[in-house]
C-alpha cells in the first residue's frame, strides 16, 4: 500500500523516530501502525509505544471516600480555564459524592441523583453546559471497597480538596490499626501516581501486553546472532525487568527505593499489627488515552487558498 506523509508524521509523533525510519517501518509492515511501532522498537529506534502530544481533554479528576469505600470520577471540559472555575469544581465534587451511592460504573453515576437536587447527574451536567458555555461530560468513574481495612485516596497537585489532575484509590485489607493503614495506603497511592504501574501483580497483567513485549525482546535478541538457547534466557531476563517496571508489588517503593512495594507492605505489618493485603488500585490521569488533534495552521491556510 502507498505510505502517505500523514502516516509517517503520525508514526514519528508516536515514537520519536526519524522520518525515513518511520517510512521504512511502515513500508516493511504494510502500513500497520502498531506493527511499525514494534518494528522500530526492535531496531532500537523507538523507546516505547507511547503517543506524543497533548491530550484533548481538560477538566478534573475527583475523589470521594466514606468508610471502607472510595470512588474516583473524571469530568471533562474543553479548556483548563473552566477547570479552574469554582462552579465547575463544585460540580465535580458533587458528582464524586453521587458516585458513592452507586456501584461506581459511569452508567450508574450518570443516572444517580445529584446531591441536593431532583435531577440526575447527567441532567445536571447537561444544564451546566448551557450555564458555563462549554461542552462537558462524565468520562469515567470507578470504585474500590474492602471488607475489613481501608481505601486510601490521593490527589496529585490538587486544585481544591479532592480535585486534581491525577486521582488514586488503593484498597488495603487488614484487621490492623486503621490510622496506620491509611497513612501507608496514602504513601502507596503517591507511589502509584509517580510510578504508573499497570497491575497489582503479574497474574493481573494483561497477557497480550506481555506477549507483545516478549515478541519485541525476542526479535531484538535474534538480531544479535546468538543461539536460540541464549536468546531464550535473554528474553526471560528482559521480561523479568519489564515486570519490575510495571507491576506494582515488584516496583521499587518511591518512599524507600531499597524495598519493593511488596516488601514495604510486609515490613509495615509489624507496625500495623496484622497481615496486609493490597487488593486493588485505580489511578485516573486526566485526559489519559485521549489524543489532541494538532492543527497545522499553514496547511489550513494553504487548503483554503487551494495551493496545498
Amino acid at each position: 500500500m502507498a505510505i502517505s506523509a500523514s502516516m509517517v508524521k503520525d508514526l514519528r509523533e508516536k515514537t520519536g523516530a526519524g522520518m525515513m525510519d518511520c517510512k521504512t517501518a511502515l513500508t516493511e509492515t504494510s502500513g500497520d501502525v502498531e506493527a511499525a511501532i514494534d518494528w522500530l522498537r526492535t531496531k532500537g529506534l523507538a523507546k516505547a509505544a507511547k503517543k506524543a502530544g497533548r491530550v484533548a481533554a481538560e477538566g478534573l479528576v475527583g475523589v470521594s471516600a466514606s468508610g471502607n469505600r472510595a470512588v474516583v470520577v473524571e469530568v471533562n471540559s474543553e479548556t483548563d480555564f473552566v477547570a479552574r472555575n469554582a462552579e465547575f469544581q463544585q460540580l465535580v465534587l458533587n458528582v464524586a459524592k453521587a458516585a458513592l451511592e452507586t456501584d461506581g460504573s459511569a452508567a450508574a453515576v450518570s443516572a444517580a441523583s445529584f446531591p441536593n437536587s431532583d435531577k440526575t447527574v447527567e441532567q445536571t451536567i447537561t444544564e451546566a453546559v448551557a450555564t458555563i458555555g462549554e461542552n462537558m461530560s462524565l468520562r469515567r468513574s470507578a470504585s474500590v471497597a474492602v471488607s475489613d481495612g481501608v481505601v486510601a485516596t490521593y490527589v496529585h497537585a490538587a486544585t481544591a480538596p479532592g480535585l486534581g489532575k491525577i486521582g488514586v484509590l488503593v484498597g488495603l485489607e487488614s484487621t490492623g490499626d486503621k490510622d496506620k493503614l491509611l497513612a501507608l495506603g496514602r504513601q502507596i497511592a503517591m507511589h502509584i501516581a509517580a510510578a504508573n504501574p499497570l497491575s497489582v501483580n503479574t497474574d493481573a497483567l494483561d497477557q497480550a501486553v506481555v506477549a507483545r513485549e516478549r515478541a519485541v525482546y525476542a526479535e531484538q535478541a535474534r538480531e544479535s546472532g546468538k543461539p536460540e538457547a541464549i536468546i531464550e534466557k535473554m528474553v526471560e531476563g528482559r521480561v523479568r525487568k519489564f515486570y519490575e517496571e510495571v507491576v506494582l508489588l515488584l516496583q521499587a517503593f518511591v518512599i524507600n527505593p531499597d524495598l519493593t512495594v511488596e516488601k514495604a507492605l510486609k515490613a509495615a505489618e509489624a507496625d500495623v499489627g496484622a497481615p496486609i493485603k493490597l487488593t486493588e488500585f485505580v489511578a485516573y490521569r486526566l485526559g489519559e488515552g485521549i489524543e489532541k488533534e494538532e492543527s497545522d495552521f499553514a496547511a489550513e491556510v494553504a487548503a483554503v487558498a487551494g495551493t496545498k
Side-chain angles (χ1 to χ4, degrees), residues 128-181:
V129 170
T131 303
I132 297 177
E134 196 170 290
N135 188 34
M136 291 175 282
S137 65
L138 169 65
R139 183 187 176 206
R140 53 181 176 165
S141 62
S143 67
V144 172
V146 295
S147 57
D148 190 0
V150 301
V151 178
T153 67
Y154 171 67
V155 175
H156 182 68
T159 56
L163 298 173
K165 302 290 188 182
I166 301 175
V168 182
L169 313 178
V170 179
L172 296 178
E173 289 271 11
S174 179
T175 58
D177 186 294
K178 298 299 186 285
D179 288 338
K180 291 179 178 179
L181 269 179

Side-chain angles (χ1 to χ4, degrees), residues 6 18 25 28 32 43 52 96 132-133 145 149 155 170 184 259 277 283 292 308:
S6 62
E28 292 290 328
D32 185 322
K43 303 298 181 184
I132 297 177
V155 175
V170 179
L184 174 64
L259 299 176
K277 180 182 180 183
K292 182 175 182 179
K308 64 175 183 177

Side-chain angles (χ1 to χ4, degrees), residues 211-227:
R212 180 174 177 175
E213 293 299 312
R214 190 182 290 276
V216 170
Y217 300 153
E219 192 59 34
Q220 288 175 335
R222 287 193 183 94
E223 291 197 353
S224 69
K226 291 183 171 58

